[in-house]
């Protein structure tokens, strides 16, 4: 059994980007990582742009300017101004080559065709210089950059239609357990509506990864080996739920050994998620997650996400960690490290009720995990604790 930090560093050490890449239209690149740096094909902005509604003027040594017309956003005109002349101009419009400042309309008084400027002017004020955001032929986005809405819009603003990205990892989910049924089946004694398929498929989708295949296995060695064999045909990553503990009907470890999967680690000194397994066969990774839903998700967030991010071509070290005060006292004599479902509100964190690994209810309300290192703690309200921020969290 290894420590939490050791397990995480083994995940990071063993993961590197997939080698294959593909060129895709930017509309298909949400959550993908760039496989090469992007070169800017144009200056941004590509012309001197007004950043204000006001007047573009050719400075002279009096406060009065003669208004010679207007340039609005999108106009291609380039009126010639002599010192002492100006044009009405609007945000985003092309500043005439002969203008050397833009003055906000609020700082002027207009009388017919004469503009009086009531404030000192400095050269090039309120003008976005050519290339001030990005210079043509520079490399504004590096290899490995993950593309979110802002990144895709940035590429579009450069006129870029497609980019080279790492291909998406192929993930197969395997759910083990004789007790598992779906909501369209009759709930009889001993059966449960299984939820880990939804949990994992959706948590993957939030990372921009569509699950390739979802398989179910009965609790027998033969069935477990069969689904695993099938998964190894195509998957880059196999995520298994349940059957990895030490019960008489837990066959995942035996099946993995049988298929010569190399064990990188098995069992972590943590709660929830002690019987976590991470292994490798050729270039394929296997994560076997304990079946209790809160253990499954906790291990997914803490260990699996960084693996996924790195396979996708990114540089993740795991969930963002911050130090935040507790809203209450907290005492524990648990020898293992704890990941506790928690809620950050008003810059303080509260450990939620109903922490048992079989319970999803607290996870459904959590936006963070409080991390308590091994050997227990006795903390007072206001004490700082290490908190892992869950993905897609908007703090309130
Ligand atoms: P296991 O890790 O197979 O020993 O399962 C531990 C607990 O998790 C048991 O109570 C299982 O019924 C439950 N469990 C296993 N798989 C799932 C699943 N797919 N959805 C919800 N609960 C599950
Ligand atoms: Mg089971």
């Amino acid at each position: 059994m290894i420590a939490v930090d050791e397990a995480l560093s083994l995940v990071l050490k063993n993961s590197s980007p997939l080698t294959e890449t593909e060129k895709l239209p930017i509309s298909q690149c949400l959550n993908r990582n760039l496989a090469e740096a992007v070169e800017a094909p144009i200056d941004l902005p590509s012309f001197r742009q007004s950043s204000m509604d006001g007047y573009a003027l050719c400075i002279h040594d009096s406060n009065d300017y003669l208004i010679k017309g207007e340039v609005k956003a999108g106009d291609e005109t380039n009126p010639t101004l002599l010192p002492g002349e100006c044009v009405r101009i609007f945000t985003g419009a092309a500043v005439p080559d002969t203008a050397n400042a833009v003055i906000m309309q609020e700082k002027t008084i207009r009388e017919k065709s004469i503009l009086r400027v009531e404030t000192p002017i400095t050269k090039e004020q309120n003008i976005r210089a050519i290339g001030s955001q990005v210079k043509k032929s520079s490399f504004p986005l590096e290899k490995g950059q993950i593309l979110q809405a802002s990144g895709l819009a940035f590429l579009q603003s450069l006129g870029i239609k497609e980019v080279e990205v790492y291909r998406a990892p192929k993930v197969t989910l395997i759910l083990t357990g004789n007790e598992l049924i779906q909501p369209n089946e009759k709930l009889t004694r001993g059966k449960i509506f299984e939820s880990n398929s939804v949990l994992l498929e959706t948590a993957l989708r939030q990372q921009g990864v569509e699950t390739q295949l979802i398989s179910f296995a009965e609790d027998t060695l033969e069935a477990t080996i069969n689904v695993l064999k099938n998964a190894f045909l195509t998957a880059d990553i196999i995520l298994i739920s349940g059957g990895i503990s030490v019960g008489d009907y837990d066959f995942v470890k035996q099946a993995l050994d049988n298929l010569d999967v190399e064990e990188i680690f098995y069992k972590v000194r943590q709660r929830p998620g002690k019987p976590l397994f991470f292994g490798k066969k050729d270039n394929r990774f296997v994560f076997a997650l304990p079946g209790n839903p809160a253990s499954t998700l906790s291990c997914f967030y803490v260990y699996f996400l960084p693996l996924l991010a790195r396979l996708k071509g990114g540089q993740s070290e795991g969930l963002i960690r911050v130090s935040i005060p507790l809203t209450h006292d907290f005492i524990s004599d648990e020898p293992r490290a704890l990941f506790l479902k928690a809620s950050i509100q008003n810059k303080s964190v509260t450990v939620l009720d109903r922490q048992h690994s079989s319970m999803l209810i607290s996870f459904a309300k959590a936006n963070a995990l409080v991390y308590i290192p091994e050997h227990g703690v006795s903390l007072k309200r206001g004490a700082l604790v290490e908190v892992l921020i869950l993905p897609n969290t908007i703090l309130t």
Side-chain angles (χ1 to χ4, degrees):
M1 198 142 55
I2 62 171
V4 163
D5 291 348
E6 216 179 323
L8 187 56
S9 62
L10 282 169
V11 171
L12 300 181
K13 205 174 100 189
N14 281 282
S15 40
S16 52
L18 295 170
T19 45
E20 297 111 87
T21 65
E22 56 191 343
K23 188 156 256 168
L24 286 182
I26 61 168
S27 59
Q28 291 173 32
C29 289
L30 180 62
N31 271 316
R32 293 295 195 94
N33 295 72
L34 288 172
E36 60 185 26
V38 167
E39 183 174 354
I42 57 168
D43 285 307
L44 207 60
S46 59
F47 57 90
R48 289 162 77 234
Q49 267 174 8
S50 176
S51 65
M52 292 286 167
D53 293 324
Y55 295 85
L57 32 88
C58 184
I59 301 172
H60 71 157
D61 53 12
S62 135
N63 289 346
D64 291 349
Y65 287 81
L66 182 63
I67 303 168
K68 297 279 292 198
E70 72 169 28
V71 184
K72 57 188 186 302
D75 286 354
E76 292 179 11
T77 51
N78 187 10
T80 303
L81 301 178
L82 297 172
E85 293 179 343
C86 69
V87 285
R88 182 87 171 103
I89 200 158
F90 302 94
T91 304
V95 174
D97 292 346
T98 44
N100 52 11
V102 168
I103 183 101
M104 276 172 86
Q105 70 189 43
E106 292 88 335
K107 294 189 174 161
T108 63
I109 297 172
R110 182 174 177 165
E111 274 172 30
K112 296 194 180 137
S113 61
I114 299 297
L115 182 79
R116 172 150 299 162
V117 177
E118 301 208 298
T119 169
I121 309 170
T122 51
K123 274 197 168 172
E124 299 303 312
Q125 73 177 32
N126 300 324
I127 297 175
R128 302 173 192 148
I130 292 173
S132 55
Q133 184 177 180
V134 174
K135 295 248 179 307
K136 182 178 174 175
S137 301
S138 68
F139 291 88
L141 295 184
E142 290 167 12
K143 176 177 171 170
Q145 173 67 51
I146 191 161
L147 297 171
Q148 314 263 298
S150 49
L152 299 177
F154 174 68
L155 292 171
Q156 163 110 345
S157 72
L158 286 167
I160 292 174
K161 297 206 249 342
E162 50 184 25
V163 283
E164 193 75 24
V165 290
Y166 289 98
R167 79 161 166 82
K170 293 177 193 147
V171 183
T172 288
L173 300 183
I174 296 175
L175 293 302
T176 70
N178 291 348
E179 71 279 30
L180 311 182
I181 61 164
Q182 297 298 320
N184 57 5
E185 294 176 78
K186 191 167 163 36
L187 187 63
T188 52
R189 185 176 169 81
K191 300 285 193 278
I192 59 163
F193 293 127
E194 73 85 17
S195 53
N196 287 348
S197 60
V198 173
L199 192 66
L200 295 170
E201 188 182 15
T202 315
L204 281 164
R205 184 169 297 144
Q206 278 189 329
Q207 304 303 315
V209 175
E210 288 302 320
T211 303
Q212 215 192 15
L213 177 69
I214 302 182
S215 303
F216 290 85
E218 299 266 296
D219 290 321
T220 66
L221 181 59
E222 195 191 0
T224 313
I225 290 177
N226 282 340
V227 285
L228 273 169
K229 269 191 186 158
N230 192 35
F232 271 114
L233 296 177
T234 52
D236 299 305
I237 313 174
I238 301 168
L239 260 178
I240 308 163
S241 135
I244 188 61
S245 197
V246 293
D248 290 352
Y249 296 92
D250 290 331
F251 289 107
V252 170
K253 180 69 174 73
Q254 226 176 307
L256 292 170
D257 289 343
N258 210 290
L259 293 171
D260 293 324
V261 176
E262 176 200 339
E263 175 184 316
I264 299 171
F265 64 77
Y266 178 39
K267 294 188 180 161
V268 182
R269 290 199 295 275
Q270 63 180 0
R271 199 172 160 185
K274 181 174 97 173
L276 173 66
F277 172 94
F278 176 47
K280 206 172 158 183
K281 185 176 177 173
D282 307 322
N283 286 330
R284 309 190 190 286
F285 291 99
V286 179
F287 254 96
L289 311 167
N292 269 317
S295 310
T296 306
L297 192 57
S298 196
C299 291
F300 179 94
Y301 281 147
V302 176
Y303 303 100
F304 181 77
L305 280 189
L307 172 82
L308 187 70
R310 284 174 174 234
L311 253 68
K312 288 171 71 210
Q315 264 307 318
S316 174
E317 300 288 322
L319 295 178
I320 293 172
R321 291 171 189 243
V322 290
S323 212
I324 298 187
L326 273 172
T327 60
H328 52 87
D329 297 351
F330 181 82
I331 297 173
S332 161
D333 55 6
E334 168 62 51
R336 284 180 274 162
L338 297 173
F339 290 98
L340 303 163
K341 279 70 74 185
S343 170
I344 301 177
Q345 264 179 332
N346 301 323
K347 298 183 181 148
S348 302
V349 66
T350 305
V351 173
L352 298 169
D353 286 343
R354 286 175 282 184
Q355 287 290 330
H356 198 277
S357 59
S358 62
M359 300 175 176
L360 270 181
I361 183 158
S362 52
F363 236 133
K365 298 174 183 175
N367 55 19
L369 295 173
V370 165
Y371 176 65
I372 305 288
E374 288 180 36
H375 310 307
V377 281
S378 177
L379 296 169
K380 288 276 170 232
R381 175 168 184 240
L384 290 178
V385 283
E386 188 174 338
V387 174
L388 289 72
I389 311 287
L390 296 182
N392 298 71
T393 291
I394 296 172
L395 296 179
T396 51

